[in-house]
Amino acid sequence: MEDQTLLLVGDKFANFASLNDGVTTISTLRTLRHRQNEKVESARILIGQGVDPNSLKDVVGQPGNFEEPLESPNAHHDQLHQRTVHKNHGHNVLIAPPSRIDEAEFRSSLHLHDDCAELSDHVTGQHLQGMIFIEAARQMMLSVSENYLLPEEFRFASYFVLNEIRTSFIAFAFPIETEILFDLEACEAKPNGNLRATCISCFIQAGLPVARVDIDFCAYPREHLERKESKLAAEAIRRFIDTHVELNATA
């Protein structure tokens, strides 16, 4: 029997799997493996989006007849990486740990977990929704900054402020292997821990760009920004209450 290739995706992408030959979900693969399906047993499996490596081992067994995606560490179960993208839950991590290409270029890959927030209540059609790329680009910005840009004493001790996000959706993106190329356009770091930078995250599927996210951001020492944030919060509450008092007085 000639070996076939299967693209494996998470259960959230069941519609994508049902409409395309050669694509299956992890639940379907589990069912077929329990039936000792010869066609599946001999298949070469490529991993798409929504597949947790721990679940994959339960279904496929030991690695050997499947190919892992580009730079595929267990992104959802790496606590240090989880800290660099500022997430409390591993299933909300959307990217692999970035690696450095040169002084201003970094590489990663998209790693969607079936239970991530971005897939929790909005999966339509076959494509990946745009908010996934915006959040993945934000996580790239955070992880590159924490790992490579911030001085050691300010690592995990900074507040990040987004000044501007510009997003271009170039083509429909699907739950397949997705490379992320991160370009640091400009970066100004000061001794007091203040950082100002602009970056571009490009998302590439099968050699073609599908999305681009430009971010202009700042990072400040946490203690400094917490004081400013508290002051601004108090002012906002006071304005809100004063506005309602005035409206009630004139009603």
Side-chain angles (χ1 to χ4, degrees), residues 30 66 94 100 112 130 138 151 158 165 169 200 207 228 248:
R30 182 181 287 111
F66 66 93
L94 302 189
R100 192 167 208 157
L112 299 183
R138 191 187 73 91
S158 297
I165 298 179
F169 298 113
I200 300 171
K228 183 176 181 180
N248 290 333

Side-chain angles (χ1 to χ4, degrees), residues 11 33 55 65 74 81 87 114 119 166 174 228 246:
D11 292 344
R33 288 299 300 268
S55 299
N65 71 325
N74 200 334
H81 177 49
K87 287 298 179 182
D114 231 26
L119 294 177
R166 299 179 301 279
F174 299 99
K228 183 176 181 180
E246 291 175 5

Side-chain angles (χ1 to χ4, degrees), residues 128-180:
L128 300 179
Q129 58 265 35
M131 293 306 297
I132 287 172
F133 298 103
I134 295 173
E135 172 58 20
R138 191 187 73 91
Q139 292 188 18
M140 279 294 293
M141 174 270 292
L142 292 169
S143 191
V144 168
S145 296
E146 295 282 18
N147 282 304
Y148 301 102
L149 305 183
L150 289 173
E152 185 65 32
E153 62 267 30
F154 297 107
R155 194 181 183 204
F156 305 121
S158 297
Y159 259 33
F160 286 79
V161 176
L162 300 176
N163 299 315
E164 186 178 5
I165 298 179
R166 299 179 301 279
T167 306
S168 301
F169 298 113
I170 302 165
F172 273 117
F174 299 99
I176 62 176
E177 181 179 286
T178 307
E179 184 180 17
I180 308 171

Side-chain angles (χ1 to χ4, degrees), residues 11-81:
D11 292 344
K12 290 287 177 64
F13 301 110
N15 193 43
F16 176 72
S18 67
L19 294 173
N20 293 280
D21 293 337
V23 184
T24 189
T25 66
I26 197 160
S27 289
T28 301
L29 181 64
R30 182 181 287 111
T31 299
L32 293 174
R33 288 299 300 268
H34 285 166
R35 295 175 182 169
Q36 295 184 325
N37 185 293
E38 181 182 354
K39 191 174 183 180
V40 171
E41 293 293 341
S42 63
R44 174 172 170 258
I45 298 175
L46 302 177
I47 303 171
Q49 300 298 330
V51 180
D52 177 33
N54 283 357
S55 299
L56 181 65
K57 289 179 181 178
D58 293 340
V59 176
V60 179
Q62 293 301 316
N65 71 325
F66 66 93
E67 285 196 4
E68 298 190 46
L70 179 69
E71 296 182 13
S72 58
N74 200 334
H76 310 299
H77 303 277
D78 181 337
Q79 292 187 347
L80 178 59
H81 177 49

